[in-house]
Amino acid sequence: MTGTFYIIGVGPGDPELMTQKAVRLLKECPVICVPKGTKAGKSVALSIVEQTISIENKEILEIHFPMEKIRMDDERSPILEKAWSSAADAVAEKLAEGRDVAFPTLGDPTFYSTAFHLAGVLPEVFPDGSTNVSVVIVPGVTSVSASAAAAGMPLCLGDERVAVLPATYEKEKMLEAFLSFDTVVLMKVHKVLDEVLLLLKKLDLLETSIIIEKAGMKGERVIKASEATNQKLHYFSTMIVRKR
Amino acid sequence: MTGTFYIIGVGPGDPELMTQKAVRLLKECPVICVPKGTKAGKSVALSIVEQTISIENKEILEIHFPMEKIRMDDERSPILEKAWSSAADAVAEKLAEGRDVAFPTLGDPTFYSTAFHLAGVLPEVFPDGSTNVSVVIVPGVTSVSASAAAAGMPLCLGDERVAVLPATYEKEKMLEAFLSFDTVVLMKVHKVLDEVLLLLKKLDLLETSIIIEKAGMKGERVIKASEATNQKLHYFSTMIVRKR
């Protein structure tokens, strides 16, 4: 009997925003897998868990998780290949012992989580082949939902369309999204804040746009885009641009 | 002391996907407000709540909730105006008595939930003016996250862009989204399934597209788009079109 690998969304930060399913599974799993040596991932996801669940009797499996940006369709660099493969080896070893492994991830696992890379490699390294690997994904509350909730605004109503893009994305694509979508969500907006604000001003969208810093976390802050010029924003900052 | 109006996301269907915050607040609120006479809303959201929380000692406030499609920027029809206004009156009455009112809503409140219309009207009908109305939005797991989790596929990784659209939307806009986004999520795809499948085939996207019926609910079903022709889908069906 091999174990199951649970990729568990723990929500945006407030431990109360973990689902009941996440709490149950994290309590049940004897092994909790966390990335080591990352800038943002580790401490946040694990600290959310720790505020609700005692991890004293758990085995904490620290794996090295490459933070280099990759796309699944890119050719993998040898460094990434090696890192994913050895992370998967470590997880597979526990699963082969018949122990369930939980991988808590900030927000929702399907939404910009690196956990998917690990799940993708797992079958390749598993001793008896992919048919024996059981992976379960437990959805969670995204930072986008928490951002809109904090701002007291809907992301979408009725027949509206929503686009989600990293704010680093090329200006033309951003402009295109602003023009043809009812709501545009910009992730990690801190990197390009001033350019975005300028563009919004030109399009007359500044007044209806909101920035949410650390949504669903301690220190959550809702800032009007029209008052955001020259503000230094946290890494966890999301902008919601709504047309109406 | 007036009460607080809590708009609470209860997740996609599985009661375990309710957040701990949702469960706590629904237990604490003496009044639960549910829409009456709707096709999909009432029974689903309330039945999710009932599977976790005893509602025996709660006051159930049934309000008539217009199901006509509206956009917030449309001029409101007199019928809608009247319905929202009297629903808001009923809620405001409880709040004025100092009682908290919970409004459970399927999925996440900011994501295609009609609860926002009610919250928008509330300040207008409140006896002492809008400054006394306290509305709290509690985010939940969306059906989109549950769909991607069920399909075992990421919505987005790295720098990818995601578009969410109702499948009823004009074909040109849909085509545009397929061409310029990494992932396109089509809500309520049952209405236009055959046209969408045809379009995906032309774009060579059929093989990587997945339909999830009743995500996070009993009877959840994951269907390959390539095998979906002529299938009769449930109202709660989402398609995820991924490029890679």
Side-chain angles (χ1 to χ4, degrees):
Chain A
M1 285 286 287
T2 55
T4 295
F5 185 52
Y6 293 96
I7 304 179
I8 301 175
V10 297
D14 177 355
E16 262 207 305
L17 289 178
M18 290 174 77
T19 65
Q20 300 182 98
K21 191 167 189 172
V23 172
R24 175 176 62 80
L25 288 170
L26 284 159
K27 278 183 185 164
E28 288 173 6
C29 284
V31 183
I32 297 186
C33 176
V34 291
K36 182 184 177 173
T38 64
K39 271 185 276 180
K42 179 208 162 161
S43 54
V44 183
L46 192 61
S47 75
I48 294 169
V49 173
E50 281 179 313
Q51 288 173 67
T52 302
I53 291 158
S54 164
I55 60 164
E56 263 180 42
N57 297 317
K58 306 277 189 193
E59 179 179 350
I60 304 297
L61 178 64
E62 286 198 322
I63 55 173
H64 178 66
F65 229 59
M67 289 299 283
E68 290 167 62
K69 285 212 176 144
I70 54 171
R71 290 176 61 133
M72 289 295 262
D73 54 356
D74 281 353
E75 284 192 71
R76 289 186 189 148
S77 73
I79 296 167
L80 287 178
E81 277 285 9
K82 197 163 168 285
W84 292 122
S85 181
S86 73
D89 275 338
V91 172
E93 196 185 309
K94 303 295 166 193
L95 298 178
E97 291 166 15
R99 305 171 81 196
D100 293 337
V101 177
F103 187 98
T105 183
L106 194 63
D108 173 61
T110 73
F111 198 70
Y112 295 113
S113 164
T114 42
F116 257 98
H117 298 299
L118 183 53
V121 177
L122 207 48
E124 295 169 22
V125 303
F126 213 69
D128 308 318
S130 64
T131 49
N132 285 328
V133 182
S134 163
V135 177
V136 172
I137 298 161
V138 181
V141 174
T142 66
S143 61
V144 174
S145 291
S147 294
M153 71 200 286
L155 281 171
C156 44
L157 294 168
D159 280 337
E160 293 178 351
R161 287 152 294 128
V162 183
V164 180
L165 11 156
T168 46
Y169 203 71
E170 310 99 89
K171 199 178 153 187
E172 282 70 33
K173 287 280 174 188
M174 208 182 276
L175 178 64
E176 203 180 277
F178 287 148
L179 293 176
S180 65
F181 283 80
D182 301 288
T183 300
V184 178
V185 179
L186 297 176
M187 310 296 292
K188 312 233 164 110
V189 73
H190 68 291
K191 291 182 187 173
V192 288
L193 182 64
D194 291 340
E195 294 129 272
V196 172
L197 292 177
L198 217 63
L199 188 57
L200 290 177
K201 195 170 181 186
K202 275 187 199 160
L203 297 170
D204 204 18
L205 287 170
L206 208 52
E207 294 304 320
T208 54
S209 301
I210 298 283
I211 298 162
I212 304 92
E213 194 179 41
K214 301 174 90 174
M217 295 180 168
K218 257 176 215 158
E220 175 185 271
R221 205 159 64 108
V222 178
I223 307 156
K224 289 179 185 169
S226 59
E227 296 169 5
T229 314
N230 296 326
Q231 290 233 23
K232 180 102 186 110
L233 297 178
H234 189 269
Y235 175 82
F236 292 128
S237 293
T238 301
M239 185 187 273
I240 303 176
V241 177
R242 252 181 90 74
K243 284 257 182 78
R244 67 163 198 92
Chain B
M1 286 285 288
T2 53
T4 295
F5 185 53
Y6 292 96
I7 305 178
I8 300 175
V10 297
D14 177 355
E16 262 207 303
L17 290 179
M18 290 174 76
T19 65
Q20 300 183 96
K21 191 167 188 171
V23 172
R24 175 177 63 80
L25 288 170
L26 284 159
K27 278 184 185 164
E28 287 172 7
C29 285
V31 184
I32 297 186
C33 176
V34 291
K36 182 182 177 174
T38 64
K39 270 184 277 180
K42 178 206 162 165
S43 55
V44 183
L46 192 60
S47 75
I48 293 169
V49 174
E50 281 178 313
Q51 287 173 68
T52 301
I53 292 158
S54 165
I55 60 164
E56 263 179 43
N57 297 317
K58 307 278 190 194
E59 179 180 349
I60 303 297
L61 178 65
E62 285 197 324
I63 55 174
H64 177 67
F65 229 60
M67 289 299 283
E68 292 167 62
K69 284 211 179 145
I70 54 171
R71 290 175 60 134
M72 288 294 262
D73 54 356
D74 281 352
E75 282 193 73
R76 290 186 187 146
S77 74
I79 296 167
L80 287 178
E81 277 284 10
K82 198 161 170 287
W84 292 121
S85 181
S86 75
D89 276 339
V91 172
E93 196 185 310
K94 303 296 166 192
L95 299 178
E97 290 167 15
R99 303 172 81 196
D100 293 336
V101 178
F103 187 97
T105 183
L106 194 62
D108 174 61
T110 73
F111 197 71
Y112 297 112
S113 165
T114 42
F116 257 97
H117 298 298
L118 182 54
V121 177
L122 207 47
E124 295 169 20
V125 303
F126 213 69
D128 308 318
S130 64
T131 49
N132 285 330
V133 182
S134 163
V135 177
V136 172
I137 299 160
V138 181
V141 174
T142 66
S143 62
V144 173
S145 290
S147 295
M153 71 200 288
L155 282 170
C156 43
L157 294 168
D159 280 339
E160 291 178 353
R161 286 151 294 128
V162 183
V164 179
L165 8 158
T168 44
Y169 202 71
E170 311 100 90
K171 198 177 155 190
E172 282 71 31
K173 286 281 174 188
M174 207 182 276
L175 179 63
E176 202 179 279
F178 287 148
L179 293 176
S180 65
F181 282 80
D182 300 289
T183 301
V184 178
V185 179
L186 297 176
M187 310 296 293
K188 313 234 163 108
V189 72
H190 68 291
K191 291 183 186 172
V192 287
L193 183 62
D194 290 340
E195 294 131 270
V196 172
L197 292 177
L198 216 62
L199 188 57
L200 290 177
K201 196 170 181 187
K202 275 186 199 160
L203 298 170
D204 203 19
L205 288 171
L206 208 53
E207 293 303 320
T208 53
S209 300
I210 298 282
I211 298 163
I212 305 91
E213 195 179 39
K214 302 174 90 174
M217 295 180 168
K218 258 176 214 159
E220 175 184 272
R221 205 159 65 108
V222 178
I223 307 156
K224 288 179 185 172
S226 58
E227 295 168 6
T229 313
N230 297 325
Q231 292 233 20
K232 181 104 185 108
L233 297 177
H234 189 268
Y235 175 82
F236 292 129
S237 294
T238 301
M239 185 186 273
I240 302 176
V241 177
R242 248 180 95 72
K243 284 257 182 79
R244 64 160 202 92

